Amino acid sequence: MSPDPATLQACLLFRGKSVEEIQTLLQTMVYNVRFCNKNELILSEGETADRLGIVLSGRVEVQKIYPNGNSVTIARLGEGQTFGEAVLFRKENFFPATVTAAEPCHVMFISKQELLRLFSADTDMLSHYIENLSERLVMVNRKIEILSAGTLRRRIVFYLLEQAKLQSSDSIRLPFGRKEWAEQLNTARPSLSREIGYLRDSAWIDFRGRIITLLDRKQMQNWLENNE
């Protein structure tokens, strides 16, 4: 399978390039594309991080798997999103997590050496790569901020207020299901459901599927500030 230039336009690495420019670039690039069935292992934790992965179709999951068999989903990535970039140029460049196919997918791999060649030939690609790393750092810092917010109820309210701000709406769409949200908040799914039910019964929120509507954002903000 050859990468679809239109899909690569959604990848930060190729941002700003036309379909024609990406087509020309692909003719000179060294890369490979791999098809993976659902639940197939793409990368294992501890493997040498010597390549960048770009999701061309389907979805992949990045998970941390612990010795006791428990796992936490760190990220779910779709078309145009990348993995491996944060550790590619570390001195100890090993993948810190496991990547599996959440559904049938195609993944494009570009080696570290090829990326260095591309960066030297096209400084815009280097800038976009650094921008990608910066965005990932912001996401990590935001997650740390959420987990540091205190009780589970505070973490939920903090997260909902942050999403309302990011999405510029009191009706926000969660980027994941209840199970994944619980993992993001470092709690059990029943505990999350119980707190969400409490917020609904308190007339602070309403929800339908992945859509959560903040009914009284000001009261939620005041509660957050007064319960530090």
Side-chain angles (χ1 to χ4, degrees):
M1 172 186 174
S2 298
D4 181 358
T7 298
L8 290 179
Q9 281 185 309
C11 176
L12 185 60
L13 193 64
F14 298 91
R15 183 174 292 173
K17 296 189 180 301
S18 67
V19 168
E20 292 74 20
E21 288 173 325
I22 295 175
Q23 285 175 331
T24 300
L25 193 58
L26 288 172
Q27 293 174 3
T28 65
M29 283 175 56
V30 178
Y31 64 88
N32 64 78
V33 176
R34 174 181 165 189
F35 172 75
C36 300
N37 290 304
K38 182 177 179 179
N39 297 325
E40 184 175 340
L41 181 66
I42 300 174
L43 293 171
S44 297
E45 180 178 348
E47 277 190 51
T48 301
D50 57 1
R51 56 205 183 278
L52 172 74
I54 304 174
V55 183
L56 298 179
S57 68
R59 292 183 307 127
V60 307
E61 289 186 347
V62 183
Q63 295 180 317
K64 183 71 176 179
I65 301 176
Y66 297 97
N68 62 5
N70 292 336
S71 64
V72 173
T73 300
I74 300 172
R76 279 179 169 76
L77 307 175
E79 290 186 10
Q81 293 185 287
T82 60
F83 56 89
E85 68 273 28
V87 293
L88 197 56
F89 294 101
R90 285 186 58 199
K91 183 177 181 181
E92 297 180 358
N93 59 329
F94 299 103
F95 287 110
T98 295
V99 182
T100 56
E103 59 188 50
C105 63
H106 286 88
V107 179
M108 176 182 183
F109 288 104
I110 306 174
S111 71
K112 177 179 178 179
Q113 291 72 23
E114 180 65 4
L115 277 174
L116 288 172
R117 186 190 71 78
L118 291 170
F119 292 160
S120 64
D122 189 335
T123 55
D124 283 342
M125 294 189 76
L126 175 59
S127 297
H128 292 153
Y129 188 90
I130 295 173
E131 183 182 342
N132 196 354
L133 292 179
S134 298
E135 289 184 359
R136 290 291 178 93
L137 182 59
V138 169
M139 289 174 61
V140 170
N141 287 339
R142 184 171 291 126
K143 184 171 183 179
I144 291 173
E145 191 175 4
I146 291 170
L147 293 176
S148 302
T151 65
L152 176 57
R153 190 171 300 167
R154 277 185 55 82
R155 298 201 299 274
I156 294 171
V157 171
F158 183 90
Y159 177 82
L160 293 176
L161 289 171
E162 281 288 296
Q163 286 299 308
K165 186 187 303 182
L166 290 171
Q167 298 184 30
S168 301
S169 174
D170 284 337
S171 290
I172 61 178
R173 183 176 183 83
L174 296 178
F176 32 57
R178 193 72 61 89
K179 177 178 179 293
E180 294 78 17
W181 191 15
E183 291 176 351
Q184 291 285 322
L185 293 172
N186 194 29
T187 190
R189 182 174 176 174
S191 299
L192 173 61
S193 296
R194 184 168 55 249
E195 289 295 334
I196 290 296
Y198 173 85
L199 295 177
R200 179 194 57 198
D201 295 343
S202 299
W204 285 10
I205 67 170
D206 194 11
F207 57 84
R208 184 182 297 273
R210 294 192 180 188
I211 304 297
I212 296 183
T213 302
L214 278 56
L215 302 176
D216 195 337
R217 194 197 298 199
K218 184 175 181 180
Q219 185 177 358
M220 293 172 69
Q221 185 65 55
N222 288 340
W223 178 86
L224 195 65
E225 294 172 354
N226 294 325
N227 286 272
E228 298 182 355

